[in-house]
Amino acid sequence: MSSQLLEVNGISVTFDGFRAINNLSFNIGSAELRAIIGPNGAGKTTFMDIVTGKTKPDEGKVLWGEMSKNLIGMNEAKIAQEGIGRKFQKPTVFEDQSVEDNLLMALKNNRKSFAVLFWKPTDADMNRVSDLAAEIGLSNELKRKSGELSHGQKQWLEIGMLLAQEPRLLLVDEPAAGMTPEEREHTTDILVEAAKTRAVVVVEHDMEFVRRLNCKVTVLHEGSVLAEGSLDHVTANQQVIDVYLGR
Amino acid sequence: MRNTFIGRNPSILIFLAVLAVFTIAITFMSEAFGAGVISTSFVKTLGKTLCLALVAVAMDLIWGYAGILSLGHFAFFGLGGYMIGMWLMYERTKEIVAGSMAGNPIPPTEQEIVDGIGTQIFGVVGSSEFPIIWMFADSLFLQLALVVLVPGLLALVFGWLAFRSRVTGVYLSILTQAMTLALSLYLFQNDSGLRGNNGLSGLQNLPGVTASQDFVSIWFFWASALALAVGYIFAAWIVSGKFGSVIRGIRDNEARVRFLGYSVEGYKLFLFTVTAMIAGIAGALYYPQAGIINPAEIAPIASIYLAVWVAIGGRGRLYGAVIGAVFVSLVSTFFTGGQAPDINLGFYTIQWVDWWTILLGLSFVFVTLFAPKGIGGLFDLIADRRHPDRHGADLGPDKGSLQEREATE
């Protein structure tokens, strides 16, 4: 059993009277692939917002790492520096800049403005960029502007940027949306590979994609955990069928 | 060569060459060093234009690259002018006061001279006391330091408050405009310590210099050209590396940069402060050439003009900002200086002094809607023709018959 990396402990958040997250608690190990599924409005994206510091919860704790540091109250940049990377639903890369520049910006280096001003890429940095490009299948596109890439390639570039950050936890929001079947397969491979050395949490709608990830599944409903276990286990759960799958 | 700073930015060399040729040409055409083809007042106009180009480069850094539409950079420009103006006016008045008192039967004491300067400078606002902000006015070194420190500090405090609260977009523009307006209204007051709406005058006279304005104007012209060259290289260096990547990222998607672990607020604050300092330096070179500075110079409209220049010249490219500032301000001088002939329509006479702002406004709308790259975008057309980057694709008609690689070997 791997040690625990992230502990979400009793968080609740209310938007204008609507309880988006209701006393949510669960744990994620340090090298684990986890899928989070749930119907629309179950609080999947809000959960990511809370962990990455975008939304402040009304109560509860998010404990991180061996030191059990509370992430609540830290800003987004600090949390990212702690080692949490996030991929958005829509591919968000810097379209005006080359694939290489995008990856260089994401590389794990000093983030302070003065250090960045005088920073020059070393050979090790360039090697890391070409390794990453090979991993996400963009070796031939390094000099191209990322705005010219296809939708799927942008998704991979964003995953590549996340890997470049060398995070210990990767939060991925609907990575397979709008991808062709071959692209989905490649995406699955990248995520499974990444989860060997770090924790990867995938929020997904598509059951086929989740089945291919072949990992532990957490079902959210109305802001709290409804069921947890293998996909077959949760899909056999009568409550899950009622709220989500049975419709 | 490809990986050096200049190698990656060939436009810097072209820019510097054009600037050098321009500077030398003007020098040989001036009254001081050459044929006297162009008047001293026009040399001053050109020197001032170079200062405007420098503040436009600063504006392009903050707006074109980082996406922060600041309507306050002309306030920093004006503050730089005030800082150098205080020293110029103090020393100049001291010369005059000391000269007139030298004939007195009893030689004047130090305090009498200072009182005399105070009466001369502040008589127009009904005072003779030196306000506390003039305490360094007798030191050229300290006032030169204040040229960068005062705009820098104001930008730092204002930026810290604004960026920390995550004010962005049009709200930030309004906030910077409010700052500019507040500063200008404050300076209009007689008890602001900077002579109210009279401003500081006589700045074209350098203390202790007996050379004529013909020479002084060309010195300032050179200094402005040098400042523009250094400022341009500095700005190009800032945007060429990873820092440039990060600020362009902030412009395009602020949240994404934040989730990459960069402190967006820190970067904005850094750039806001640095560009305010550049604006201060530009102002300190501009106003001795203009001869006078008053609070009307700081009014929000000036900062809006600055944004218009950068937009017309082309945002997000440094030479675009320079072209915009030079082109629009020279054309503006032409139209508002009474040189443009009036157009008589029979029933109405178009007087350009009044209609120029409307023409400028229309061209701003036109550029924003139809040519968002501005004048600088024209260079893309030329550059694309000269370097067809085909990513190694064959040139046809038969596959592989005319590969790009063969043509270069």
Side-chain angles (χ1 to χ4, degrees):
Chain A
M1 188 65 200
S2 56
S3 66
Q4 184 171 304
L5 182 68
L6 184 81
E7 181 188 343
V8 177
N9 197 343
I11 50 173
S12 297
V13 65
T14 309
F15 298 125
D16 295 328
F18 169 69
R19 231 174 160 72
I21 297 277
N22 186 10
N23 197 19
L24 177 68
S25 304
F26 65 93
N27 303 329
I28 290 161
S30 60
E32 158 174 21
L33 184 60
R34 173 78 63 94
I36 295 184
I37 61 173
N40 282 332
K44 297 174 307 230
T45 303
T46 311
F47 152 73
M48 285 204 173
D49 285 346
I50 289 170
V51 173
T52 53
K54 195 177 170 196
T55 303
K56 302 264 173 286
D58 302 331
E59 53 188 89
K61 286 177 182 169
V62 177
L63 301 175
W64 168 254
E66 292 77 27
M67 309 292 287
S68 288
K69 200 170 184 176
N70 193 355
L71 295 180
I72 305 299
M74 291 168 75
N75 68 28
E76 294 99 316
K78 282 264 163 54
I79 291 177
Q81 286 169 17
E82 282 288 326
I84 296 182
R86 175 175 187 183
K87 195 201 155 302
F88 290 86
Q89 204 163 335
K90 248 177 67 192
T92 45
V93 295
F94 301 109
E95 310 221 339
D96 189 37
Q97 305 189 36
S98 70
V99 171
E100 188 177 64
D101 285 342
N102 270 283
L103 288 171
L104 279 174
M105 209 196 299
L107 275 189
K108 189 177 183 180
N109 276 310
N110 194 336
R111 291 323 201 203
K112 291 263 189 314
S113 49
F114 274 101
V116 168
L117 196 54
F118 293 98
W119 184 82
K120 285 244 181 306
T122 61
D123 287 345
D125 290 323
M126 296 315 284
N127 290 338
R128 180 96 180 93
V129 166
S130 55
D131 289 350
L132 281 165
E135 197 175 338
I136 56 176
L138 293 176
S139 291
N140 295 325
E141 325 289 342
L142 273 178
K143 298 289 176 195
R144 284 179 67 189
K145 282 205 173 174
S146 59
E148 299 171 358
L149 301 177
S150 74
H151 180 83
Q153 285 174 318
K154 282 182 198 166
Q155 297 275 31
W156 293 336
L157 174 57
E158 200 181 359
I159 294 174
M161 288 166 73
L162 282 179
L163 296 177
Q165 280 178 264
E166 294 172 27
R168 298 180 60 199
L169 169 65
L170 225 110
L171 300 170
V172 190
D173 203 349
E174 299 202 18
M179 280 189 171
T180 63
E182 297 83 51
E183 286 174 334
R184 278 160 183 253
E185 208 155 307
H186 188 183
T187 308
T188 319
D189 293 344
I190 296 174
L191 291 176
V192 170
E193 183 60 36
K196 285 179 182 162
T197 49
R198 72 198 84 220
V200 178
V201 175
V202 182
V203 165
E204 189 52 73
H205 258 323
D206 183 344
M207 294 307 272
E208 259 320 294
F209 187 77
V210 173
R211 186 173 298 283
R212 217 173 286 153
L213 288 175
N214 190 23
C215 63
K216 191 169 168 186
V217 175
T218 299
V219 186
L220 291 192
H221 178 57
E222 288 174 354
S224 44
V225 176
L226 189 66
E228 203 166 71
S230 73
L231 187 61
D232 292 330
H233 173 78
V234 298
T235 48
N237 184 317
Q238 190 55 45
Q239 266 182 301
V240 174
I241 295 169
D242 287 346
V243 302
Y244 186 29
L245 304 159
R247 278 187 294 182
Chain B
M1 189 63 188
R2 263 199 68 75
N3 281 320
T4 58
F5 170 55
I6 299 286
R8 276 180 285 121
N9 303 280
S11 67
I12 297 176
L13 276 187
I14 299 173
F15 176 79
L16 292 180
V18 170
L19 183 63
V21 168
F22 174 72
T23 310
I24 292 166
I26 296 300
T27 304
F28 282 117
M29 286 195 286
S30 71
E31 306 229 354
F33 291 93
V37 183
I38 53 176
S39 67
T40 296
S41 76
F42 194 61
V43 171
K44 285 188 178 180
T45 302
L46 293 176
K48 286 191 290 183
T49 306
L50 294 180
C51 298
L52 297 178
L54 180 58
V55 71
V57 166
M59 182 69 182
D60 199 21
L61 275 183
I62 196 77
W63 186 30
Y65 284 89
I68 302 164
L69 175 54
S70 159
L71 295 176
H73 270 61
F74 230 84
F76 303 131
F77 183 86
L79 279 177
Y82 264 107
M83 290 307 129
I84 196 67
M86 285 158 77
W87 177 78
L88 285 168
M89 201 163 176
Y90 182 91
E91 287 296 317
R92 173 77 184 161
T93 314
K94 186 176 173 184
E95 275 183 7
I96 295 167
V97 169
S100 71
M101 283 183 172
N104 290 4
I106 307 164
T109 63
E110 196 69 20
Q111 189 56 45
E112 279 173 331
I113 292 183
V114 171
D115 289 345
I117 301 169
T119 314
Q120 280 289 323
I121 294 181
F122 298 107
V124 286
V125 290
S127 164
S128 62
E129 293 284 303
F130 271 102
I132 192 148
I133 51 171
W134 285 71
M135 62 193 290
F136 302 125
D138 58 340
S139 158
L140 174 60
F141 175 77
L142 286 176
Q143 285 298 141
L144 283 178
L146 290 180
V147 162
V148 289
L149 291 181
V150 169
L153 193 68
L154 178 63
L156 189 72
V157 172
F158 178 85
W160 186 76
L161 291 170
F163 297 139
R164 190 189 58 135
S165 325
R166 299 210 175 157
V167 181
T168 54
V170 69
Y171 300 101
L172 187 86
S173 303
I174 293 170
L175 216 55
T176 53
Q177 189 167 28
M179 175 200 78
T180 311
L181 185 62
L183 184 68
S184 127
L185 290 180
Y186 173 73
L187 290 176
F188 264 120
Q189 295 181 338
N190 280 347
D191 53 6
S192 67
L194 288 164
R195 307 211 325 157
N197 64 348
N198 305 286
L200 308 180
S201 55
L203 309 183
Q204 73 276 28
N205 304 306
L206 295 185
V209 172
T210 51
S212 74
Q213 283 295 310
D214 294 347
F215 284 90
V216 173
S217 66
I218 210 82
W219 294 342
F220 269 104
F221 178 72
W222 288 341
S224 308
L226 181 69
L228 177 58
V230 173
Y232 190 91
I233 296 171
F234 178 67
W237 175 72
I238 284 186
V239 298
S240 69
K242 187 157 87 163
F243 192 91
S245 275
V246 174
I247 58 173
R248 281 184 291 156
I250 290 173
R251 173 190 69 192
D252 295 338
N253 195 333
E254 193 175 310
R256 190 73 188 85
V257 177
R258 213 170 258 140
F259 287 120
L260 277 178
Y262 292 97
S263 154
V264 168
E265 289 69 37
Y267 280 76
K268 284 181 174 177
L269 189 57
F270 177 84
L271 202 63
F272 195 66
T273 308
V274 166
T275 53
M277 289 173 165
I278 297 176
I281 294 170
L285 283 164
Y286 179 95
Y287 287 106
Q289 301 183 70
I292 182 165
I293 180 168
N294 60 51
E297 302 278 328
I298 292 179
I301 186 70
S303 294
I304 293 173
Y305 271 126
L306 184 57
V308 171
W309 296 339
V310 174
I312 289 181
R315 266 174 293 164
R317 60 182 86 213
L318 296 171
Y319 57 85
V322 173
I323 291 169
V326 170
F327 178 72
V328 180
S329 70
L330 285 183
V331 171
S332 164
T333 309
F334 174 73
F335 278 119
T336 55
Q339 286 151 296
D342 293 344
I343 296 175
N344 196 338
L345 297 175
F347 58 95
Y348 183 81
T349 306
I350 295 180
Q351 287 178 320
W352 285 114
V353 176
D354 300 329
W355 279 85
W356 157 245
T357 25
I358 294 178
L359 187 65
L360 182 63
L362 285 177
S363 42
F364 178 56
V365 171
F366 176 81
V367 165
T368 313
L369 289 180
F370 301 109
K373 286 178 172 180
I375 300 173
L378 296 175
F379 288 89
D380 287 353
L381 301 175
I382 304 167
D384 277 346
R385 208 173 302 145
R386 217 185 299 145
H387 310 287
D389 188 8
R390 301 169 56 81
H391 305 290
D394 62 273
L395 300 167
D398 294 329
K399 206 177 179 203
S401 63
L402 268 170
Q403 290 256 318
E404 208 169 23
R405 192 179 304 158
E406 286 176 4
T408 57
E409 273 171 2

mmCIF file of all heavy atoms in Angstrom, chain B residues 360-375:
data_model
loop_
_atom_site.group_PDB
_atom_site.id
_atom_site.type_symbol
_atom_site.label_atom_id
_atom_site.label_comp_id
_atom_site.label_asym_id
_atom_site.label_seq_id
_atom_site.Cartn_x
_atom_site.Cartn_y
_atom_site.Cartn_z
ATOM 1 N N LEU B 360 -7.721 61.324 -36.050
ATOM 2 C CA LEU B 360 -6.954 60.367 -35.255
ATOM 3 C C LEU B 360 -7.879 59.314 -34.651
ATOM 4 O O LEU B 360 -7.587 58.115 -34.671
ATOM 5 C CB LEU B 360 -6.202 61.110 -34.145
ATOM 6 C CG LEU B 360 -5.318 60.262 -33.238
ATOM 7 C CD1 LEU B 360 -4.200 59.624 -34.033
ATOM 8 C CD2 LEU B 360 -4.734 61.096 -32.113
ATOM 9 N N GLY B 361 -9.018 59.774 -34.126
ATOM 10 C CA GLY B 361 -9.968 58.834 -33.529
ATOM 11 C C GLY B 361 -10.475 57.833 -34.546
ATOM 12 O O GLY B 361 -10.546 56.629 -34.273
ATOM 13 N N LEU B 362 -10.780 58.335 -35.758
ATOM 14 C CA LEU B 362 -11.267 57.432 -36.807
ATOM 15 C C LEU B 362 -10.191 56.424 -37.185
ATOM 16 O O LEU B 362 -10.477 55.239 -37.371
ATOM 17 C CB LEU B 362 -11.693 58.244 -38.034
ATOM 18 C CG LEU B 362 -13.017 58.993 -37.898
ATOM 19 C CD1 LEU B 362 -13.276 59.813 -39.148
ATOM 20 C CD2 LEU B 362 -14.160 58.016 -37.665
ATOM 21 N N SER B 363 -8.934 56.888 -37.293
ATOM 22 C CA SER B 363 -7.894 55.933 -37.685
ATOM 23 C C SER B 363 -7.663 54.908 -36.573
ATOM 24 O O SER B 363 -7.352 53.749 -36.847
ATOM 25 C CB SER B 363 -6.597 56.634 -38.074
ATOM 26 O OG SER B 363 -6.321 57.659 -37.192
ATOM 27 N N PHE B 364 -7.867 55.317 -35.323
ATOM 28 C CA PHE B 364 -7.750 54.357 -34.222
ATOM 29 C C PHE B 364 -8.821 53.270 -34.347
ATOM 30 O O PHE B 364 -8.546 52.073 -34.245
ATOM 31 C CB PHE B 364 -7.879 55.097 -32.887
ATOM 32 C CG PHE B 364 -7.818 54.200 -31.689
ATOM 33 C CD1 PHE B 364 -6.742 53.361 -31.477
ATOM 34 C CD2 PHE B 364 -8.846 54.208 -30.753
ATOM 35 C CE1 PHE B 364 -6.686 52.548 -30.370
ATOM 36 C CE2 PHE B 364 -8.790 53.393 -29.640
ATOM 37 C CZ PHE B 364 -7.705 52.555 -29.454
ATOM 38 N N VAL B 365 -10.052 53.708 -34.609
ATOM 39 C CA VAL B 365 -11.144 52.743 -34.785
ATOM 40 C C VAL B 365 -10.855 51.832 -35.973
ATOM 41 O O VAL B 365 -11.006 50.608 -35.911
ATOM 42 C CB VAL B 365 -12.483 53.483 -34.970
ATOM 43 C CG1 VAL B 365 -13.586 52.516 -35.364
ATOM 44 C CG2 VAL B 365 -12.853 54.232 -33.710
ATOM 45 N N PHE B 366 -10.383 52.445 -37.053
ATOM 46 C CA PHE B 366 -10.096 51.690 -38.264
ATOM 47 C C PHE B 366 -9.029 50.615 -38.000
ATOM 48 O O PHE B 366 -9.185 49.451 -38.345
ATOM 49 C CB PHE B 366 -9.641 52.648 -39.362
ATOM 50 C CG PHE B 366 -9.234 51.955 -40.632
ATOM 51 C CD1 PHE B 366 -10.188 51.548 -41.547
ATOM 52 C CD2 PHE B 366 -7.896 51.695 -40.890
ATOM 53 C CE1 PHE B 366 -9.815 50.894 -42.709
ATOM 54 C CE2 PHE B 366 -7.514 51.035 -42.053
ATOM 55 C CZ PHE B 366 -8.475 50.637 -42.957
ATOM 56 N N VAL B 367 -7.936 51.041 -37.350
ATOM 57 C CA VAL B 367 -6.851 50.092 -37.076
ATOM 58 C C VAL B 367 -7.342 48.960 -36.171
ATOM 59 O O VAL B 367 -7.080 47.785 -36.418
ATOM 60 C CB VAL B 367 -5.654 50.830 -36.428
ATOM 61 C CG1 VAL B 367 -4.689 49.847 -35.804
ATOM 62 C CG2 VAL B 367 -4.936 51.659 -37.473
ATOM 63 N N THR B 368 -8.090 49.311 -35.125
ATOM 64 C CA THR B 368 -8.558 48.292 -34.184
ATOM 65 C C THR B 368 -9.443 47.263 -34.897
ATOM 66 O O THR B 368 -9.349 46.065 -34.645
ATOM 67 C CB THR B 368 -9.355 48.957 -33.048
ATOM 68 O OG1 THR B 368 -8.606 50.066 -32.578
ATOM 69 C CG2 THR B 368 -9.583 47.999 -31.918
ATOM 70 N N LEU B 369 -10.292 47.750 -35.806
ATOM 71 C CA LEU B 369 -11.239 46.840 -36.448
ATOM 72 C C LEU B 369 -10.615 46.067 -37.602
ATOM 73 O O LEU B 369 -10.845 44.866 -37.747
ATOM 74 C CB LEU B 369 -12.455 47.622 -36.966
ATOM 75 C CG LEU B 369 -13.412 48.157 -35.908
ATOM 76 C CD1 LEU B 369 -14.549 48.893 -36.576
ATOM 77 C CD2 LEU B 369 -13.962 47.028 -35.054
ATOM 78 N N PHE B 370 -9.847 46.746 -38.435
ATOM 79 C CA PHE B 370 -9.436 46.123 -39.691
ATOM 80 C C PHE B 370 -7.958 45.745 -39.753
ATOM 81 O O PHE B 370 -7.571 44.938 -40.590
ATOM 82 C CB PHE B 370 -9.775 47.048 -40.863
ATOM 83 C CG PHE B 370 -11.239 47.365 -40.950
ATOM 84 C CD1 PHE B 370 -11.717 48.613 -40.636
ATOM 85 C CD2 PHE B 370 -12.139 46.368 -41.299
ATOM 86 C CE1 PHE B 370 -13.070 48.889 -40.694
ATOM 87 C CE2 PHE B 370 -13.484 46.631 -41.352
ATOM 88 C CZ PHE B 370 -13.963 47.893 -41.046
ATOM 89 N N ALA B 371 -7.128 46.349 -38.929
ATOM 90 C CA ALA B 371 -5.701 46.025 -38.983
ATOM 91 C C ALA B 371 -5.147 45.933 -37.571
ATOM 92 O O ALA B 371 -4.358 46.766 -37.161
ATOM 93 C CB ALA B 371 -4.946 47.077 -39.791
ATOM 94 N N PRO B 372 -5.575 44.921 -36.810
ATOM 95 C CA PRO B 372 -5.165 44.862 -35.405
ATOM 96 C C PRO B 372 -3.647 44.774 -35.210
ATOM 97 O O PRO B 372 -3.155 45.045 -34.125
ATOM 98 C CB PRO B 372 -5.870 43.619 -34.870
ATOM 99 C CG PRO B 372 -6.330 42.871 -36.066
ATOM 100 C CD PRO B 372 -6.485 43.843 -37.182
ATOM 101 N N LYS B 373 -2.923 44.415 -36.267
ATOM 102 C CA LYS B 373 -1.465 44.374 -36.122
ATOM 103 C C LYS B 373 -0.837 45.752 -36.292
ATOM 104 O O LYS B 373 0.365 45.909 -36.088
ATOM 105 C CB LYS B 373 -0.849 43.422 -37.147
ATOM 106 C CG LYS B 373 -1.058 41.956 -36.819
ATOM 107 C CD LYS B 373 -0.446 41.127 -37.927
ATOM 108 C CE LYS B 373 -0.431 39.649 -37.584
ATOM 109 N NZ LYS B 373 0.182 38.896 -38.706
ATOM 110 N N GLY B 374 -1.603 46.720 -36.742
ATOM 111 C CA GLY B 374 -1.099 48.080 -36.877
ATOM 112 C C GLY B 374 -0.126 48.229 -38.039
ATOM 113 O O GLY B 374 -0.010 47.345 -38.900
ATOM 114 N N ILE B 375 0.589 49.358 -38.031
ATOM 115 C CA ILE B 375 1.543 49.611 -39.109
ATOM 116 C C ILE B 375 2.644 48.554 -39.109
ATOM 117 O O ILE B 375 3.092 48.107 -40.160
ATOM 118 C CB ILE B 375 2.168 51.022 -38.948
ATOM 119 C CG1 ILE B 375 1.075 52.094 -38.985
ATOM 120 C CG2 ILE B 375 3.178 51.289 -40.037
ATOM 121 C CD1 ILE B 375 1.584 53.488 -38.673
#
